[in-house]
Structures are given as structure tokens and as C-alpha cells.
Amino acid sequence: MWALIRRWRWPVMLLLVALAAAAGLSASASAQRRAALAQPASAIRQLRFDVQAHREGGERTLRQLADYGHPLAARTMAELAAVDPTPDAQQRALDWYRRGARSGDAESAYRLGLAYLQGRTLPGDPLAARHWFERAGTLPAARHRLAMMLLRGEGGVADPVLGQQWLAQAAADGDADAMFALANRYRDGDGLPHDEALALYWYQAAASDEHPAALQTLSLAYARGELGLPVDPAQAQFLGEYAGHAAKCHTPHTRVALF
Amino acid sequence: MYPIHKKAALCATLALALSACGGSDGNNATPAAGSTSLQVQPSLGQISNADVTVKSLDGKVIGSGSIDASGAVKLGLGNVSGPLLVEVSGKAGARYYDEGLNAELDFPAGETLHALLPGAQAQVGVTPLTEIAYQRLLANKSGKLAEVTAADIGKANDDVRVQFAPELKNLLSVPKLVNARTGAGALDDDEAGRYALKLAALAKAGVQGLDESKPELAAGADDAKAALGAQRPMLALGRQLGRDFADGQFDGKEGSKALSEALYNADDFHDRIQDKLLQAAQQLGTARLVELVQQGGAMPRGNALSRAEKGTQLDLAILQTTDLHTNIKSYDYYKTQDDITLGFERTATLIDKARAELPNNLLFDNGDTIQGTSLSDYQALVSPVSCNATLAQYKVMNLMRYDAGNVGNHEFNYGLPFLAQVTGAAMRVPGTEDRKGCMGPRFPLVLSNAYAVSDKQPLFAPYVILNRTFRTADGKRIPLKVGVIGFAPPGIMSWDKRNLDGKVYVEGVKEAAEKYVPAMRKAGADIVVALSHGGISAAPYSPDMENAVYHLAKVPGIDAIVSGHSHSYFPDGKNYAGIAGVDNVKGLVNGVPTVMAGFWGNTLGVLKLGVTYDGAQWKVTQSQGELRSINSKVGNDTVAVAPHAAVGKLVQKEHEGTIRYVSTPVGTTEFRISSFFSQVGDTAAMQLINAAQKDYVERYVKASLPQYANLPVLSAAAPFKANYRGTGYTDIPVGGVAIRNVADLYLYPNTLQAVKIDGTALKAWLEKAAEQFNQISPTQTADQQLINGSFPSYNFDQIDGVQYEIDVTRPKGSRIVNLRWNGQPVAAGQQFIVATNNYRASGGGGFASLDGSKTIFDAPDANRDIIVAYIKAQKTLTRAAQGADGNWHFARATLAGRVLFESAYDAEAVARADGIANVFKVEDKADRSGSIYKLDLSL
């Protein structure tokens, strides 16, 4: 027996060393991964500044974190790329949103879903859109989109009851597009009883979030005396100009509370 | 307060002694026995080619020469003793550098600067200050110069020094010379640097004083620098100061008579010069020199200032504007009509009123100032403002004497070279080098969280310390150092990436505050006001946060916050309700008094602050925020305060220029373009909008959505002006088409969006539009109205690129027949791209399935601007190319009765010209406001 051990001792030792090394590497790799995933949001946001300032190593570090699956890092890579309107940059942004979505970032899942819904950078795929909106969980913007798909039967079975429920939820949770959509439904009696007062309430709520179409709707309402509002040329003028500023500005300000 | 002054007084009285009083650069006042030459270095800024004469007091010329290229001259004096008079005289070809205008001005014959020396010395500076001392002595001795003694000279020079430049050791010191090439950091905290700084500040004060006393000089001039420079403001100011101080009292009076057309106010001269010193120090000085100024170490003597004691209270008012967006006149340039819901000319009226009511006031602007209207476009792009003229928006803010301003995000929209030019900032950014020394705001701009990549320093001054004098309730004048710091939203790196990438970088608002507020306190700020171009949000802090005021308020050392960017109102009891730590009635955010005052000039913010000195520092002991609106409702009407006449007058040229700009044809049309019949047939008015939109989208798809290059591009447009409630139609006559004509055709400031939809959605879109019509009964013999009066014409979308008919005899939802593309029936699943606008594409009007989900292109351009660009490119619009193509019409039907609608007065011929053959005038309305027409569906 000792002869056997002695004969095989080197290969066995080599094997043991190799196994130990592999285990060590894997342990350190997952330690690295754990460390990456543990990076707080503030560190990622600082990295965003570093990338914008072209600081040495900024992009590399952020990309590494994104590669390790840090959700916010992936989303930040996407947002940085998305600023450029070129098709290449938009495609890269989408790839990063996908990474973020897979890592569990709700905002990334929403963006990916929107990309499948609108079919600009990717071919439209309503099923995929629904899937990713669902993955975004309670994110109001995603809820709004999912609600509209459920109401229309896009990308799956229609479910008007659930769709309306989630539309109302998204509006209550502060999504301005949902507020606007809800207002439209009340105004047109579309799946909801016609209710001008509620329509007005939700248009105003959306307008307070500088939603351009809501601002314009109210401007037109004041110009023509719609929605139970008095004809008020000054308000019409003011809201119309505001709608134009909000549309052109393309940088969402937050909460104005005009009403 | 001024330890140096005591030492210098000693020096003055020992002027005849041979012992030097020190002065590291040898600018000593004591004569060295036996010196035979005198280096004369005069300064306003650097002077060139002037003649210099040295005389003894009896008038005998001892030496003469001419200033050389180095700005000085060395004259041999021979063996002279006793007091001397140095004269620096202007002549043809002599020039001097004016630091107020950053320009070289003439120093003509007739202008002279004098200095009186107690005895021979090695060097001497000759400046407007030495001139004041000369004038003083001349007045005291009734012009008999020969009777002046060395002691008299020493005293006069020192009196002037103590009053106007106590930071100097000697009035006769040689100042460092400043000229066009003098760069940042050239002046240090030494005698020569301090003197040069004081002269620069006086030059700036002279310009401001001249502009304030004679606004018409610069207002109408294309070259404001030349117009002001022709008056040589620094020399004029020097003369006035001399006449004032001739009696030893600096009170704005020559003896007992007030100076006429005064270029300064003796009471606030101290504060005025402090501001100018700060500007000059930031432009030309080292950090040490800036520090000297901020600590109050270089100012003229203030009149009757008292020290603050424990319990001293001041009632202050911080007046503020934010997000003005170059709305100066209350005017809408697209509609070319007045708009009283906005306009700084009305805010200015409120500013005057508030200042009269609240004498201890400061006026700040919080950014998003120089961009936002056709006027700003006019001055930035169409008729670019020159370096020698002040931007209209800053002109009116100079007039209203702002104390400081912040930089917001929209300041960067026109690019950094433009920003550097109009703010007069030295930006250390590649591409801005040639935009130096331009006319700009007279108040400092601050911004602490945006940095130049080149030197990692803030792009603008991160903060300023303003030295102000305020009165207590019992009339005591108390000096107070007000620190002002500025912040912009970090999102500028994305929003203006194109302009900023690689040149500028940002930090978070909170981080910048934590860095600079302690420095402000160390620099001596008694109170700190933060101008934050951001709103109030209780979301958890992150450095890239756009609306960071809630968290900024938690940074220790900030006494008040001016908020903005969100175009909202605080405190108004309504906005920002229900947020922990936010009191929207008193106006407190985490305990810090805060105001956010609307936008476009619609509101003046007034933050009333009670501050009390506790023996060691000033603390805010009360506060109340107020929002004063330029307009209010009286019944159903909106009324506004009167506009400030001087503000409007100051920008009359720019205002009229902008109106000309929007009224200048961008192309011509060979045919009349009207919306009279756009609700009842295919008209050129809609065709034009659609042609422009289609063209724009086709280009975009080719370049950026090549996968869709094979899809048909259609376009949708609706008649916005259809005389609703008598508001008229669009009617562009044959001839020139201007921006305002296009704005009349495309009434709303929408941006273009393109959607991708299928045949089913396309039909649904047209069906919804076709709800405009009443269902017409073919058998009814009585007249029927074609158009449903409560359906808004802006929802009657007509889509070009497909052919279709509208059958009004059918119920809503099934009126669109024969929908074809390229002659073939449209299939349910057929894909189309349709150009439209943001309102329609995001669900405006409730058009089924349009809710933002179909948008494949969200253009940065407004539909109006796209039409303007299209017309510019076409140059001439012809019926053949841009006339209506008749792609839609009513389905034919035979009716028992008439179908009627109303349109413009007697305009049947206009319909014919548009190719509409089935409308006939029935009768004119009695008041000729329009006519009744019938639609013959059998044709």
C-alpha cells in the first residue's frame, strides 16, 4: 500500500493542489462577486459622475460591477448610453437594460418591456413586453403599461377588470401617464362610467406632474369651456405655453401642483 | 478694522524723515536724499502715449516725457528738493484701458491726472485717487498751489487714502498695470495688486454709475462699449468724487449742493465698491486677493457704520426670481400679441414696490434665465448679440440692480462659448478663449457644483460674500456679510451632454454645499443664502438628485434657500403638502426658510428674515415666505400689474427685432393657405403640415430606423383654427410665409412624434376623427347640420398618404370606407408609420390604442419648427407640389334635404381653389361674420 501511495504521490498532490486552487479561485470569484453586489447605491451614483467626468477607471469599474450583476450598475450603464440618440448607442443601452432586468432591477425591466412594446430598437414583441412589465413588479410606470396591455388584450389574454385595477393603482402611485390614461377613460366613458369631474381631477393630477398632453388637454379645455371649466383665455394661454415647454424640455421636472 | 491705516498715518506724518516705513516692493513715500530720477507710472488701467510733466509748485517744469509701451516713464529731476506736481496729460493717440468696459479708450487732450508729492522720490503712481487729493488741495488753497506745503500734501493724500483706499499704505504707491492682456490671478495681495484692484473697481463703478444715470446711452447702441466709453466713465467718476471730497466730507455734495447727474450714491458707495472689488478680484486677482475682499478688507470708508452688539436685530427681505426663461416683455412672439400671464417687465414693478416697502433688501435670481423664448433664440442664433453689447435679459437685470444670480440648467443650452460671452465669465474651457471681457451682468453669478475639466475648478465663482449695509429699526447702519452660493441640477451632464461632455463635470448639490459652506463661514459670512436651481423632494438623497433642496437644507450653516426649477410655488399652503419636515405655510424646509417663486416672471418671491446678533454670530430668529403674483383674478378676468416702463424701453430694439424675426418670410407661397374648409374637405393647409411632417419622419427613419425603411410613412394633421367662438381661421395670403404665419396654422407648441400602427388602428384613428360629423339622414327633407358643434376641430385628424372616404350617412364607428394605400385596400395587419404630435401619440383626444405605446420616434423638434424648416427648404410652395391632393372626400349619397355648415364670409372661391367642388354658399350671415354653406354629397 505504501508503495502505491508513494508511486502516485505527485499526481495526487498535483490534483489536490489543482482542486484547492480551483476552489480558492471560485471562492475568491464569488467573494469578488459578493463584494461587487454589496456596493451601495451611493457608490454607483458616484461612479456615474466619474464616467461623465471621464475619470480614470470610472467606466471600467462601473462596467465590472454591471458585469457582476449589480442591478443599479447595469441600469446606470444603460442610462449613460441612452443619452445618445444613435441606433448603436440605443442598442447598447438596451443590452444593459436587459442585464439590469435580469439582475432584478425594476426600472431596467420596465425599459426593456417598453422597448419590446414600442418596437423601435428591437422588433416589437408584445408577449415579451408583458413578461418584462410583470417582472418590474410594483413600479408604477410598468404597472401602467401592463394595465393598458391587459385592457387591450395585447401580448396575452385581455383582463379588463385587472387592467382597470392596475391602472388606478399606477395613477394613485404617482405615474403621470396612468393618471392621464385614467382621465381619458373617465372622459370618454371608455370601460368606466363617463365622469367629467373625475376626468378633470386626474387631468389636473397629471398636469401637476408636468405631463405635456394633460397640460394641453386642460389648456384646450379652458380655451373652449370643456370638462365643466369656464372659458378662461389667460389660463388657456398659460397652460398651453407650459405644455409646450414641458414637451420640448424633455427633462422631466417633478411635481408642480398647479391646481 | 484697518490696522494698516494706523501704520500709514504714521508714515505720512514722518514723510520728511529719512527712515523708510517698509513696503516690501519699495513703494515708500519718503524721499531718498539726492535722488535724481522719478519713475512715473500712472494708471486708470494702463495708460499709453500720454505726456508726463514734473513741476515744482511754482510752475517751473523740472522734467517731461511720454509714457512708453511699458506704461511708465523715467524722468531725470536734476538736483531738486521740495514738493512736486506730476501731471499726466492726454493727447491725440493716448489711450487707457478701462476695466469696467474691458476696452481701450481714448485719453484725449483736456484730460489730466495729477499727483502731488511731498518731495522727490524714486517712483510714483498717478491715479484718479491722487487726482482727488490734488483737487482737494487746490480747493483748500483757492487754487494757489505755490502755497501748498509738504505737510499739506502728506495730509491730503492720506485723507483720500483713508476715505477711499484704506487698504493701501500710501496713495502715491505704484499700482500694478492692468491692460487687455492681463489674465486671471495677475493681481496679488500686495500694495501694487491692491491698488490696481481698487482702480479696477472704480472703473467698474464708473460704468455702472454712467449706465444708471443715462440708460439711453447704451440702450439703443449696437456697440454699448463704445457708447459708454465715449464718456470716459472712470474719469468722470473721479472728477465727481474729487468735487465731493474737496470739503473733506464724502456726502455726494459739493459743499452743500448735491452733485448733478451723479454717477454714485455716497450712502451706498461702500457697498457698490465692494461688489466691484469682488468682480475685479475674481476676474484679475489671486485667491488671497479675493479673500481680502470677501473679508471686507479693501473697501472705502462706510458712512456712519455701527458695530453689531448682542441683541442687534435686522429685518431683511430676500427678493427673488427664478426660471425667467427670457420672458422680459409680457408678450407671445408666436401669436405676436400681449400675454399678461408672464413677463419680467411686470415682475420689475413688484420689485420696486417691495424695495420701497422693505428697505433692507437683497435681490437674487435663481437661474434658467437666458433661454426660453423667441427673444432668446433671436439673440443667440438669429442676430447673435455681440461681445460689446449686453444680453437683453441681463440688461434689464442690471437695471433692476440684482445682487447675485445662480446658473440653472437651461443656461447651457446655447453652448459654453455663448455662455462665456454673455456672462463675461473667464471659463477655462476650450472654445471659449476668444469670448473674454464681454459685456455681461454687473452682478456676480455663482455656481458651486459644476467644474471645468481643464483645471478642476468651479466654472463660475462657487460663492460670493457680499458686504452690505442694513439699517436697524432705530436707524443704526450695520454692516453684514451675506454669503451667496449657487447650485445647478447634476442632470445637466445628460440634458446638455452635447455641450458639456469632456469640458465640464458635476458634483452632487449636498457634496458641494458640504465643501463650500464651511469655507464661506470661514471667509466671514454672517449669513449664508443658497440659490439652488432645484425643487423640493423628500426622496432619499443621491448625488445625481435633481431636486435636492430638502437635503440641502440639512447641511449646517445655511440660513435661507432660494428654490426653483420645478416651476412651482412655495410656500402657498397647497404645494408640497404632507411632507415631513416641510412647512408650506411659513415656508420652511427642515427648518430652513425657503421660497420657490413660480416662473416666467409670474411671481416675485419675498422671504422676510429677522436676524439677530447674539454677541458671536447672526442667527435667523424669524421668517415668513411670500409669493407676490404679477396678476390676479377679478371676477372672470385676469388683470396684471402695470409693466415697468424703463424695463420695456431698455429692450425695445431686441423686442422689435424678435417680432421682425418671426414676421420675416421664411419662404413664399403661390397660393392662399387657409383653414376655412379644412373640416369639410382636403385642403392645402393640412397638406402642408403633413408634407413637412412626412418629410421629417422619412429622413429620420432612413437614418435611424433602417429596419422600417420599407414601411409607408403617413402623416396626420388637424385644423386647429376653425373659428371656434369667433377666434378665426388660419388664412395665409399669397406671398411671404413667416414664422408667425406657421404658428397661426400650427397653433400649439407640440413636438413631433411618429407611431407605428396597423391597418386596424389606422381605420380606428380615422373613425374617431370622423365623429366630428352628425349622422346625416338621406331621407330627411329639413336642413341638417353637418358638423357636431361640440366636437373640437383639433381632433379632426386627416391622414395623408392613404385614400379614404367618409360616409356621414352611417353611424359613428363605421364611416370610413374605401381605405386604400397605393390603390390597394388597407389590410388589418398592414404596418404603417404615421407622423403626428406628442399630444395625439400619448393619448390626447382619446384616440384608441394611441397611448405612448406605439411611439417609435420622439423628436426633439416642435411641429411648428419642422414646418418652418420645410418651407425654408422648399423656398416656394406651389399648388402642384404642396396643394391639396384630394386623398379624402365624403362618400357620395343622394339626400332629400340640405346639409349645412358655417364657414368664412363669402369664401366659395377659396374652396374651389383647394379643389373642393361640392360646397356652395347658401347665404351670408347678417353681421358678415361668416356664411352658411351647403355640402352636396351627390357630387
Side-chain angles (χ1 to χ4, degrees), chain A residues 55-66:
Chain A
R55 282 194 198 109
E56 181 82 45
E59 171 146 4
R60 192 168 19 96
T61 310
L62 184 63
R63 184 191 297 272
Q64 270 173 359
L65 291 173

PDB file of all heavy atoms in Angstrom, chain A residues 55-66:
ATOM      1  N   ARG A  55     -13.259  60.268 -15.638  1.00  0.00           N
ATOM      2  CA  ARG A  55     -12.173  59.978 -14.702  1.00  0.00           C
ATOM      3  C   ARG A  55     -11.614  58.600 -14.976  1.00  0.00           C
ATOM      4  O   ARG A  55     -12.335  57.662 -15.300  1.00  0.00           O
ATOM      5  CB  ARG A  55     -12.668  60.045 -13.254  1.00  0.00           C
ATOM      6  CG  ARG A  55     -12.793  61.468 -12.806  1.00  0.00           C
ATOM      7  CD  ARG A  55     -12.950  61.615 -11.313  1.00  0.00           C
ATOM      8  NE  ARG A  55     -13.481  62.960 -11.115  1.00  0.00           N
ATOM      9  CZ  ARG A  55     -14.707  63.230 -10.730  1.00  0.00           C
ATOM     10  NH1 ARG A  55     -15.540  62.260 -10.437  1.00  0.00           N
ATOM     11  NH2 ARG A  55     -15.114  64.478 -10.623  1.00  0.00           N
ATOM     12  N   GLU A  56     -10.302  58.501 -14.766  1.00  0.00           N
ATOM     13  CA  GLU A  56      -9.568  57.255 -14.975  1.00  0.00           C
ATOM     14  C   GLU A  56     -10.247  56.079 -14.270  1.00  0.00           C
ATOM     15  O   GLU A  56     -10.504  56.143 -13.060  1.00  0.00           O
ATOM     16  CB  GLU A  56      -8.149  57.447 -14.395  1.00  0.00           C
ATOM     17  CG  GLU A  56      -7.249  56.254 -14.557  1.00  0.00           C
ATOM     18  CD  GLU A  56      -6.630  56.209 -15.935  1.00  0.00           C
ATOM     19  OE1 GLU A  56      -6.164  57.263 -16.405  1.00  0.00           O
ATOM     20  OE2 GLU A  56      -6.615  55.120 -16.537  1.00  0.00           O
ATOM     21  N   GLY A  57     -10.550  55.037 -15.022  1.00  0.00           N
ATOM     22  CA  GLY A  57     -11.063  53.822 -14.393  1.00  0.00           C
ATOM     23  C   GLY A  57     -12.529  53.843 -14.050  1.00  0.00           C
ATOM     24  O   GLY A  57     -13.080  52.808 -13.640  1.00  0.00           O
ATOM     25  N   GLY A  58     -13.174  54.986 -14.226  1.00  0.00           N
ATOM     26  CA  GLY A  58     -14.580  55.083 -13.836  1.00  0.00           C
ATOM     27  C   GLY A  58     -15.447  54.130 -14.613  1.00  0.00           C
ATOM     28  O   GLY A  58     -16.197  53.316 -14.041  1.00  0.00           O
ATOM     29  N   GLU A  59     -15.327  54.212 -15.946  1.00  0.00           N
ATOM     30  CA  GLU A  59     -16.185  53.357 -16.766  1.00  0.00           C
ATOM     31  C   GLU A  59     -15.850  51.887 -16.555  1.00  0.00           C
ATOM     32  O   GLU A  59     -16.737  51.043 -16.505  1.00  0.00           O
ATOM     33  CB  GLU A  59     -16.036  53.736 -18.244  1.00  0.00           C
ATOM     34  CG  GLU A  59     -16.749  52.730 -19.123  1.00  0.00           C
ATOM     35  CD  GLU A  59     -17.373  53.312 -20.378  1.00  0.00           C
ATOM     36  OE1 GLU A  59     -17.189  54.519 -20.631  1.00  0.00           O
ATOM     37  OE2 GLU A  59     -18.036  52.558 -21.090  1.00  0.00           O
ATOM     38  N   ARG A  60     -14.565  51.615 -16.418  1.00  0.00           N
ATOM     39  CA  ARG A  60     -14.143  50.220 -16.234  1.00  0.00           C
ATOM     40  C   ARG A  60     -14.776  49.635 -14.972  1.00  0.00           C
ATOM     41  O   ARG A  60     -15.317  48.547 -14.954  1.00  0.00           O
ATOM     42  CB  ARG A  60     -12.619  50.145 -16.172  1.00  0.00           C
ATOM     43  CG  ARG A  60     -12.073  48.733 -16.275  1.00  0.00           C
ATOM     44  CD  ARG A  60     -10.568  48.698 -16.514  1.00  0.00           C
ATOM     45  NE  ARG A  60      -9.858  49.899 -16.180  1.00  0.00           N
ATOM     46  CZ  ARG A  60      -9.222  50.126 -15.019  1.00  0.00           C
ATOM     47  NH1 ARG A  60      -9.235  49.219 -14.087  1.00  0.00           N
ATOM     48  NH2 ARG A  60      -8.616  51.279 -14.801  1.00  0.00           N
ATOM     49  N   THR A  61     -14.678  50.413 -13.874  1.00  0.00           N
ATOM     50  CA  THR A  61     -15.224  49.933 -12.606  1.00  0.00           C
ATOM     51  C   THR A  61     -16.725  49.719 -12.692  1.00  0.00           C
ATOM     52  O   THR A  61     -17.251  48.691 -12.241  1.00  0.00           O
ATOM     53  CB  THR A  61     -14.912  50.945 -11.489  1.00  0.00           C
ATOM     54  OG1 THR A  61     -13.527  51.258 -11.522  1.00  0.00           O
ATOM     55  CG2 THR A  61     -15.298  50.393 -10.131  1.00  0.00           C
ATOM     56  N   LEU A  62     -17.402  50.694 -13.299  1.00  0.00           N
ATOM     57  CA  LEU A  62     -18.852  50.583 -13.403  1.00  0.00           C
ATOM     58  C   LEU A  62     -19.231  49.373 -14.243  1.00  0.00           C
ATOM     59  O   LEU A  62     -20.135  48.600 -13.885  1.00  0.00           O
ATOM     60  CB  LEU A  62     -19.425  51.866 -14.020  1.00  0.00           C
ATOM     61  CG  LEU A  62     -20.946  51.939 -14.093  1.00  0.00           C
ATOM     62  CD1 LEU A  62     -21.558  51.923 -12.708  1.00  0.00           C
ATOM     63  CD2 LEU A  62     -21.380  53.191 -14.848  1.00  0.00           C
ATOM     64  N   ARG A  63     -18.527  49.176 -15.333  1.00  0.00           N
ATOM     65  CA  ARG A  63     -18.821  48.054 -16.221  1.00  0.00           C
ATOM     66  C   ARG A  63     -18.598  46.736 -15.503  1.00  0.00           C
ATOM     67  O   ARG A  63     -19.387  45.806 -15.617  1.00  0.00           O
ATOM     68  CB  ARG A  63     -17.933  48.143 -17.457  1.00  0.00           C
ATOM     69  CG  ARG A  63     -18.223  47.074 -18.501  1.00  0.00           C
ATOM     70  CD  ARG A  63     -17.127  47.090 -19.549  1.00  0.00           C
ATOM     71  NE  ARG A  63     -17.120  48.362 -20.254  1.00  0.00           N
ATOM     72  CZ  ARG A  63     -17.846  48.615 -21.326  1.00  0.00           C
ATOM     73  NH1 ARG A  63     -18.634  47.683 -21.832  1.00  0.00           N
ATOM     74  NH2 ARG A  63     -17.789  49.790 -21.908  1.00  0.00           N
ATOM     75  N   GLN A  64     -17.494  46.687 -14.740  1.00  0.00           N
ATOM     76  CA  GLN A  64     -17.222  45.455 -13.977  1.00  0.00           C
ATOM     77  C   GLN A  64     -18.360  45.130 -13.024  1.00  0.00           C
ATOM     78  O   GLN A  64     -18.804  43.987 -12.921  1.00  0.00           O
ATOM     79  CB  GLN A  64     -15.936  45.607 -13.157  1.00  0.00           C
ATOM     80  CG  GLN A  64     -14.700  45.166 -13.888  1.00  0.00           C
ATOM     81  CD  GLN A  64     -13.426  45.481 -13.101  1.00  0.00           C
ATOM     82  OE1 GLN A  64     -13.467  46.039 -12.012  1.00  0.00           O
ATOM     83  NE2 GLN A  64     -12.308  45.117 -13.665  1.00  0.00           N
ATOM     84  N   LEU A  65     -18.808  46.143 -12.310  1.00  0.00           N
ATOM     85  CA  LEU A  65     -19.910  45.927 -11.372  1.00  0.00           C
ATOM     86  C   LEU A  65     -21.159  45.467 -12.122  1.00  0.00           C
ATOM     87  O   LEU A  65     -21.885  44.589 -11.669  1.00  0.00           O
ATOM     88  CB  LEU A  65     -20.202  47.216 -10.593  1.00  0.00           C
ATOM     89  CG  LEU A  65     -19.112  47.629  -9.611  1.00  0.00           C
ATOM     90  CD1 LEU A  65     -19.412  48.988  -9.022  1.00  0.00           C
ATOM     91  CD2 LEU A  65     -18.991  46.595  -8.499  1.00  0.00           C
ATOM     92  N   ALA A  66     -21.395  46.084 -13.270  1.00  0.00           N
ATOM     93  CA  ALA A  66     -22.551  45.684 -14.068  1.00  0.00           C
ATOM     94  C   ALA A  66     -22.404  44.239 -14.528  1.00  0.00           C
ATOM     95  O   ALA A  66     -23.360  43.467 -14.495  1.00  0.00           O
ATOM     96  CB  ALA A  66     -22.704  46.617 -15.266  1.00  0.00           C
TER      97      ALA A  66
END
